[in-house]
Amino acid sequence: MSRFLSAAGCLLVLLVHTSNAANQIIENPEHKVKTRREKKKSAVLAHAHHSTSTRGSLAQHGQVKDKTMLKIENHKRLNRREKKEVARAEMATYKDMRRQGVDEISNTREAALLRNYRLRNKKKIGLLRKKEASLAQVLFPGVSPEEYMNGERVWIYADLVESKKTQVPYEYYDLPGCPLPLETEGLKRKRMRKNLGARLQGHDMKPAPFDLYTLKDKPCTPMCLVRLEGKKLRWMRKMIERQYRVQLQLDSLPVLMRSKEMNYAVRGYPIGFRPPITANDRRRPKEQKPDVYLYNHLKFDITYHEDPQQFEGIRITGFDVHPVSIAHDIPENGPVTPNTQLSTCVGFNVENDPKTFLNLSFEQGNSISVIYSYDIQWIQNELQWADRWDVYLVGAPDDEIHYYSIVNSLMIVLFMTGAIATIMIRTLRKDIAGYNELQTLEEAQEETGWKLVHGDVFRPPQSYPMLLSVMVGTGAQIGSAFVFALLLAIFKITNSMKKGQMLTSIIFLYVLCGSIAGFISARIYKYCEAKNWKLNSIVTATALPGVFVCMFSILNIFLSMAGAATAVSFWTILALFLMWVCISAPLVFVGAFVGLKASSIDTPTKTNQIARFIPDAPWHMNAIVTMFMGGILPFGSVCIELAFIMSALWLHQIYYVMGFLLAVVAILAATCAQVSIVLCYLQLCAEDHRWWWKSFWNCAMAGFYLFLYSLWFLSSRLDLVGFLPVVVYLTYMSMISVCFGLFCGSVGFLSSFWFTRTIYGAVKVD
């Protein structure tokens, strides 16, 4: 009893203490702390209010009716006529502002309005894209803004040093510059967490050597002294000549270079520059190399937004840089530190001047001393955190172009659907009715058309049945992994904007889809009455990964010799090998076991013991002709979207429209199925029953067209310099083309198999 009373007393004291604490929090608002959920809710409400307030912002009172303007100001829904009225007014205002010279990339209110108008289609989400949102919600769903307090340490992170002229990126600290700053263990552990895709792509974010504190302007500050000579000097000149750019990040924002006069903004800043070649430069002897100048001073402009009523602290909304080339005065004694006083590094007045450019002239035995410096300015503006990504996508292709690409693909699908409908509804229906009528009337007429080969159409292929089953199973595995990866991106489980996350999901899903490859390969191999099922399972599990690992390992040797950031370490290769051996291969064997234990695939007709003689086919039904004809349509249905994907892969553009890509993949699969069915029907009408391999290659040739397109892209869009960048490009594009061809071939084969079983199952055969 005493224990019960003591427990009750403790419980009463606890309740009283909790009640007093709650009352104290209510009475003292300054002690109230916002939870993460409340912060996120307030941020979302602020974004929603801002997105609705910018609707129709370019429309003026003189351009639309008062009733329409009143609806816009009160955030009421507009009808169709009013929307057209506002759209015409906004278009007129946009053209007038552009004629007046208003740019779209600065942080002014006018530029923000122009960007909002240009990106209005991108700022919509939902199935029918009617829900208004911000680009921050579209690109980074569920990510809440981060607030920084006054005087708080903020880190700038250095990413890759890359160039469009070469596909061999380097790490920031591979350049001769200032050393890596010290960081806390917690920050270091957080930075070291990278996904597999980021490791394969060479992304390794490290803190840059800049001291940055919130709202603390910093005048010109020297960092360190570096001497360039010999190989280092030659390498820096080579990097500048090949137009390498340094990529930095602050609060997940890439550093940006803006030009209001030219109305453009580009990510990253160049290492240096080479002036335009003049007539005097052309008359120089070849031994005299042209002048090359180094950017050794960086002027950072960090814009921020603050609203004490909505949140505490500030939110970073812009991260700009202006590189400067200046030959600083070299001190006679002592090392260069942030406390070193230099006559050429005072205040914020360090600007580009041709008289003080830092020239990296290369002469025999010379040495150049370089002092790296920087200055930082914090600038307040009215740009919202939700709109800070607008400037990065101003030059990106509009969503209307993606709509056009899908319409182009749909036109091809509709054309093929018409052909299929004609065959299935008119020709096949008539043929099947005629064949069945002959059987009922028992007319002794000679059979004609595709029914003649009913005794041979399901004869298994005599040449390489194992290879066919392996390629079909692997193609199904690739397609399944890619579709699942797109679905994860669409449902916001993964984010394609985060470095390496899309590649990581594709690799893991490919490994997990091994059972699909094993099942399909085993089913086809069992139907072919082949006996060596163990070898078939091993080849299915190892063929494509083995080929790709060999290609990647050889390429990795050359990348390691060049010191590229994309050179993969031994541990990463070991992780890929363990995933392959411990996860993918067992799943393939499990799928193969299930496929072999299942009953054989039933066919509606029996196969004759002796194969039927195949007559000479017309020229248009030649195997080579049908292969080249069949591959054009699948490739043509996705060629426009491929241009965007190639630009994102090799020209460092942003691609995030996974919904469009999933629609294009569905159209590609439908096109492959329809092309395969049409060509299979024409082949059977020509009394040729050898459709197995032809149905695969008729669609798999789309991979060959993709490789040809990559060669055209290399010659017309890329300006690669050197042998290794070309090898890197061709190696990766050959891998992509092989995967593309296997997927298309797998869809074509499975469609033809279903088609033949369907039409011969509808015919009465003795």
Side-chain angles (χ1 to χ4, degrees), residues 273 295 322-326 349-357:
F273 69 98
Y295 284 128
H322 177 62
V324 177
S325 177
I326 180 171
N349 299 321
V350 180
E351 299 291 346
N352 282 307
D353 187 354
K355 298 179 182 179
T356 59
F357 281 163

Side-chain angles (χ1 to χ4, degrees), residues 77 114 142 178 220 235 290 332 458 488 659 691 722:
R77 181 175 297 179
L114 293 182
C178 300
C220 182
W235 189 56
E332 297 180 357
F458 295 109
L488 291 179
W691 59 271

Side-chain angles (χ1 to χ4, degrees), residues 459-508:
R459 185 184 302 277
Q462 301 300 317
S463 57
Y464 308 108
M466 180 183 295
L467 181 60
L468 177 63
S469 62
V470 168
M471 295 174 76
V472 173
T474 304
Q477 181 183 8
I478 293 171
S480 302
F482 194 70
V483 169
F484 288 148
L486 292 180
L487 290 175
L488 291 179
I490 291 173
F491 289 110
K492 314 302 181 185
I493 299 175
T494 60
N495 190 351
S496 59
M497 289 293 295
K498 293 184 178 180
K499 299 181 184 300
Q501 201 167 88
M502 193 65 183
L503 180 59
T504 302
S505 62
I506 291 176
I507 293 175
F508 275 103

Side-chain angles (χ1 to χ4, degrees), residues 518-528 594-596 598-602:
F519 179 79
I520 294 178
S521 177
R523 295 283 288 166
I524 297 174
Y525 191 66
K526 182 178 181 180
Y527 178 81
C528 295
V594 175
L596 290 170
S599 59
S600 299
I601 301 175
D602 295 330

Side-chain angles (χ1 to χ4, degrees), residues 135-157:
L135 275 181
Q137 291 174 278
V138 175
L139 299 178
F140 301 96
V143 177
S144 58
E146 186 171 354
E147 290 88 18
Y148 298 94
M149 300 302 159
N150 189 4
E152 182 181 350
R153 176 69 184 268
V154 185
W155 290 91
I156 297 176
Y157 288 97

